[in-house]
Amino acid sequence: SSDLEKIEYTQTHEFVADPAAGRPLPQGITDLTPESITIYHGERTVPLQPTEDTYAVTDGTWTFSRLGDWDHYKVDPITGNVHYIGTWHFAKTPLTATHEFRTCQAGMTLPKEISPLLPADRSFLYGDDVAAGEVSSTGVTVPEGQWSFHGWENSPVTSATTNLTFTGCWDFTPTPVIPPKVSVENPKKG
């Protein structure tokens, strides 16, 4: 039945967004959808691949696995039209928040005892609301006086779109200098 072998069918492809993405595919990915092709009865076929398998957008990246993201991978033998559905996955851009300290008063230098109080760097995703980390102690006493944590200058940040550096300010209060007491004896009369 060589006549059956010449029967033509159509192979089509469709791209969809992973439901977990919570958004539709961008037009740029839809534009990557492979063209329809003619396939023949009794042969085998696999999906055509997009020319790119990653697609960057402002807040993240779409990815496509050339093997794992098709609803099926091979039709053997071909007995009719074939439609492949490929699923693209979205991941928001990972970003980092770092912390730094400074003095609230110009011309002063923070003592070395304050550096270990910096919160650890924090990871977050594009668009997240981010607040500075907690300071493990808000006061440091040195022989010259007391340093007090005044707070973070730029925290929290709503819908962050870049890496962040939170700046914490420390106030210094010098130890009061108490003048020595001078005792004055009352002269005795008499």
Side-chain angles (χ1 to χ4, degrees):
S1 23
S2 59
D3 288 345
L4 278 181
E5 292 174 16
K6 298 199 189 263
I7 295 176
E8 293 183 357
Y9 299 109
T10 302
Q11 175 174 313
T12 55
H13 305 80
E14 175 186 4
F15 286 144
V16 296
D18 177 0
R23 61 180 71 195
L25 283 179
Q27 185 62 44
I29 291 177
T30 304
D31 293 345
L32 295 172
T33 305
E35 297 292 322
S36 297
I37 61 169
T38 300
I39 54 177
Y40 299 96
H41 186 87
E43 295 182 0
R44 72 181 207 85
T45 189
V46 295
L48 299 179
Q49 298 298 337
T51 55
E52 298 177 35
D53 56 12
T54 60
Y55 188 84
V57 292
T58 303
D59 60 342
T61 303
W62 290 89
T63 57
F64 182 78
S65 164
R66 294 171 183 261
L67 292 175
D69 286 332
W70 290 107
D71 60 336
H72 58 286
Y73 194 71
K74 172 171 79 167
V75 174
D76 187 11
I78 296 168
T79 59
N81 291 330
V82 176
H83 182 69
Y84 288 104
I85 298 174
T87 303
W88 284 74
H89 304 275
F90 180 75
K92 285 186 174 183
T93 301
L95 298 168
T96 303
T98 58
H99 301 78
E100 65 184 13
F101 289 144
R102 70 169 189 82
T103 64
C104 297
Q105 295 94 342
M108 297 199 71
T109 303
L110 291 174
K112 66 182 181 335
E113 293 86 349
I114 289 180
S115 293
L117 303 178
L118 271 173
D121 291 353
R122 301 177 54 201
S123 296
F124 63 96
L125 297 176
Y126 186 104
D128 285 356
D129 295 342
V130 186
E134 295 292 320
V135 178
S136 58
S137 177
T138 58
V140 172
T141 302
V142 293
E144 302 80 26
Q146 174 74 27
W147 288 91
S148 300
F149 184 65
H150 185 70
W152 298 105
E153 295 175 353
N154 52 344
S155 176
V157 173
T158 303
S159 297
T161 58
T162 61
N163 291 322
L164 300 172
T165 299
F166 292 112
T167 302
C169 181
W170 288 79
D171 280 316
F172 180 70
T173 306
T175 302
V177 176
I178 302 171
K181 292 190 180 215
V182 177
S183 63
V184 177
E185 291 183 20
N186 289 335
K188 294 186 181 179
K189 294 186 179 179

